[in-house]
């Protein structure tokens, strides 16, 4: 309360806290009173309380996300995707083209990344493109190609879903559903994937704070789906020399705040293929439990994101250097 607050103003706040079913804890100081508000959903009433006279400041003490928090669950969540454990001892590589373009390029890429040690095949069939005139993806045909590549290589498959109405259909073809950066705050989609029964790869919104990202995860978790993997993919900043600013601070931070596995997408995060390898290594050094990397047999001919896609040679070098790094790492951070 403000130091000018009157006793009736203090009592009115205490009464209001009780009315909504929360517990007030008043501590009277030398020149002001502090009212602790205890109860599950206190966060939701924050804004309404700001209208009561005599209040100086409302401070949030506990995190607004519950199911996603380490306080709720201290031990790490391990998410199983087609038999691959994400969040366990191994750093999991997910790799493949930005978009599924045709069966041949997909199979060629899948075979190569599998031979190099990738465990999950990525490939977009529904592409949320900035321009409506850009290649939008092959849709369900693309998902069928991903399924065929899974059958041939044994890789798990992750692909993006962009519309709530498509969730059931996409879920029939893939082992993990990706929610993209542009949809991180599409709450209808988050709830629908929460009911899908599939593991979810939740990209960070390009303009979202870590707290908003964890609240997006909370939407999925609160539908009963506990298999959420968080993916840092870069945020918008004033810097224009790279496509996004890959916020690697968020990796150890989110691992402190949450029990959910965290992976990094250095392809979207940098927008430049030459930066993908060094930033992959940096991400793993920072505690990322997996990477999702765009790989294309001929990046100069890719229908989307060619500039940030690795060719086979660079991907092979990345996998080699990752192995060296992991051997050198005595213990994973966190
Ligand atoms: C992608 O993975 O190709 C993609 C579009 O990701 P994001 O949503 O992070 O931009
Ligand atoms: Mn892409």
């Amino acid at each position: 309360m403000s130091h000018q607050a009157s006793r009736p103003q203090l009592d009115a706040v205490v009464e209001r806290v009780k009315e909504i079913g929360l517990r007030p804890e008043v501590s009277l100081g030398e020149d002001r009173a502090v009212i602790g508000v205890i109860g599950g959903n206190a966060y939701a009433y924050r804004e309404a309380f700001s209208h009561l006279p005599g209040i100086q400041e409302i401070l949030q003490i506990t995190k607004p996300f519950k199911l996603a928090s380490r306080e709720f669950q201290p031990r790490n969540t391990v998410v199983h995707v087609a038999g691959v454990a994400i969040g366990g001892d191994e750093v999991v590589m997910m790799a493949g083209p930005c978009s599924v373009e045709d069966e041949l390029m997909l199979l060629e890429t899948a075979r190569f990344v599998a031979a190099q040690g990738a465990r999950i095949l990525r490939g977009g069939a529904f592409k949320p493109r900035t321009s409506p005139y850009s290649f939008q993806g092959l849709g369900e045909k693309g998902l069928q190609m991903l399924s065929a590549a899974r059958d041939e290589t044994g890789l798990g498959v992750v692909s993006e879903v962009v519309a709530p109405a498509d969730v059931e259909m996409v879920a029939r073809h893939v082992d993990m559903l990706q929610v993209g950066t542009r949809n991180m705050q599409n709450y209808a989609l988050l709830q629908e994937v929460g009911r899908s029964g599939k593991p979810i790869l939740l990209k960070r919104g390009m303009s979202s704070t870590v707290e908003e990202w964890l609240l997006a995860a909370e939407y999925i978790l609160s539908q009963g789906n506990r298999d959420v993997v968080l993916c840092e993919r870069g945020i918008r900043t004033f810097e224009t020399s790279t496509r996004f600013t890959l916020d690697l601070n968020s990796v150890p931070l989110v691992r402190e705040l949450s029990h959910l596995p965290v992976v990094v997408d250095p392809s979207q995060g940098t927008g430049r293929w030459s930066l993908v390898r060094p930033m992959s290594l940096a991400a793993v050094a920072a505690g990322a439990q997996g990477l999702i990397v765009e790989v294309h047999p001929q990046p100069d001919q890719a229908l989307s994101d060619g500039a940030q896609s690795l060719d086979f040679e660079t991907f092979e070098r990345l996998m080699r250097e990752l192995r060296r790094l992991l051997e050198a790492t005595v213990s994973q951070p966190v």
Side-chain angles (χ1 to χ4, degrees), residues 98 122 127 243 268 294 304-305 308:
C98 176
R122 64 147 289 147
K127 296 305 298 179
R243 189 180 180 195
Q268 325 299 322
E294 289 180 344
S304 63
D305 287 350
Q308 65 194 37

Side-chain angles (χ1 to χ4, degrees), residues 182-203:
R182 292 161 187 82
N183 272 311
M184 190 211 83
Q185 287 181 313
N186 180 342
Y187 300 116
L189 181 64
L190 295 176
Q191 286 179 321
E192 201 56 43
V193 300
R195 293 189 282 262
S196 67
K198 290 281 174 180
I200 309 301
L201 185 70
L202 178 63
K203 297 281 196 101

Side-chain angles (χ1 to χ4, degrees), residues 10-11 15 18 24 28 46 64 80-81 87 91 103 107 111 116 170 182 186 189 242 255 264 278 288 307 311 331:
L10 172 72
D11 293 342
E15 268 322 294
K18 286 185 189 156
L28 294 172
R46 220 160 52 133
H80 295 272
V81 179
V91 172
E103 197 145 9
L107 266 179
R111 282 193 203 111
Q116 295 303 316
V170 178
R182 292 161 187 82
N186 180 342
L189 181 64
T242 50
R255 293 201 56 191
V264 168
D311 60 17
S331 67

